[in-house]
Amino acid sequence: HHAIAQTYLWVAEQTGNQQAYKPTKQIFDQILATPSTGSLEMVRRAGNMGSCQERWCWSDALFMAPRVWMQMSKLTGDPRYIEFADDEMWTTVDYLFSEQHGLFYRDSTYFTEKSDNGKPVFWGRGNGWVFAALPLMIETLPKDHPSREKYINLYRKNAEGLVKAQTEKGYWAPSLLDPEKVKNREVSATGFITYGLAWGVNNGILTGEKYKHAVLKAWQVIE
């Protein structure tokens, strides 16, 4: 529901029409007035995932929401939106990011899941969502924002984990650590991750030759 607001904020930035983001701002102000403090644990019962989705409790949400909040501060000059995004972002990262593997769990239900090869289950497209969003967040953050280096460090850790998970053929599998589980090429995950890596190479944040090699190898798959 938040992701589409990136378009409204872009329109306002390009045209000066503040009406374009007015409904989004009203919703965000309501959230700021009564922010959810519930658990990020996802409990699946009969198709219902519980109340955790009032917050950013699954990896896809890190593509959909944080940058929109950052854009709102950039456009309005009100720091409350970026402060909220920063707090919620790191709450979710601390919960879902595996320092050991450099990858994001899709949600809490995957913490103990194992694939056929005994390795943890990290969803390719879910990691793609996050990894494609990190460059957009870093570009939107003010240059002097106190968390900026944290975002860049997280981006580098995620890049390292993803490069290690790239298959010999150049794509990323649906289950990142078990490419034999589903052998189809996951083009959406591969597209997201390739974009994220290329951004880092082009901006001098990923300097090792292995990153450029990973981008070129993946591009051949997408092409």
Side-chain angles (χ1 to χ4, degrees):
H1 292 167
H2 290 181
I4 194 172
Q6 293 185 66
T7 303
Y8 306 145
L9 287 161
W10 180 85
V11 168
E13 188 173 33
Q14 298 300 311
T15 66
N17 179 9
Q18 296 184 5
Q19 293 300 312
Y21 68 79
K22 186 176 180 181
T24 303
K25 185 176 182 300
Q26 289 174 340
I27 294 295
F28 282 11
D29 288 346
Q30 290 173 19
I31 293 172
L32 288 177
T34 56
S36 175
T37 57
S39 170
L40 295 182
E41 181 181 6
M42 185 172 285
V43 181
R44 299 178 186 269
R45 294 193 185 96
N48 186 345
M49 292 183 283
S51 62
C52 89
Q53 287 185 304
E54 293 175 1
R55 303 183 72 183
W56 306 338
C57 69
W58 71 111
S59 60
D60 315 32
L62 297 184
F63 180 91
M64 300 172 187
R67 187 194 178 220
V68 187
W69 285 79
M70 293 175 183
Q71 284 178 293
M72 186 66 77
S73 276
K74 183 179 178 181
L75 203 58
T76 64
D78 188 334
R80 294 179 304 152
Y81 305 107
I82 200 167
E83 289 169 2
F84 176 84
D86 193 47
D87 287 343
E88 288 294 296
M89 172 73 181
W90 291 107
T91 297
T92 301
V93 170
D94 291 343
Y95 193 63
L96 295 182
F97 186 68
S98 167
E99 291 283 348
Q100 178 184 355
H101 298 282
L103 301 170
F104 282 87
Y105 290 100
R106 195 272 177 188
D107 58 66
S108 65
T109 64
Y110 286 82
F111 287 166
T112 57
E113 288 291 317
K114 302 292 182 185
S115 193
D116 295 346
N117 63 1
K119 293 184 179 181
V121 177
F122 292 103
W123 183 36
R125 189 163 69 236
N127 274 270
W129 282 117
V130 183
F131 194 59
L134 285 170
L136 301 177
M137 288 186 237
I138 293 167
E139 288 182 344
T140 306
L141 281 167
K143 299 292 185 184
D144 60 350
H145 192 276
S147 294
R148 184 178 176 81
E149 282 303 311
K150 283 181 67 177
Y151 285 88
I152 293 173
N153 288 336
L154 173 63
Y155 166 82
R156 287 185 174 128
K157 290 178 183 178
N158 200 190
E160 179 72 18
L162 289 166
V163 167
K164 287 180 180 177
Q166 188 178 26
T167 66
E168 286 295 322
K169 293 183 178 179
Y171 65 89
W172 281 268
S175 184
L176 289 172
L177 301 187
D178 188 1
E180 296 300 311
K181 177 68 175 178
V182 180
K183 296 182 180 181
N184 293 345
R185 295 180 180 181
E186 223 308 9
V187 178
S188 55
T190 301
F192 280 133
I193 297 166
T194 304
Y195 160 76
L197 291 173
W199 177 86
V201 171
N202 290 336
N203 285 277
I205 294 174
L206 300 177
T207 57
E209 190 64 27
K210 65 182 179 181
Y211 296 111
K212 183 177 179 181
H213 177 72
V215 171
L216 295 175
K217 196 172 181 181
W219 184 253
Q220 292 177 349
V221 175
I222 298 171
E223 227 179 6

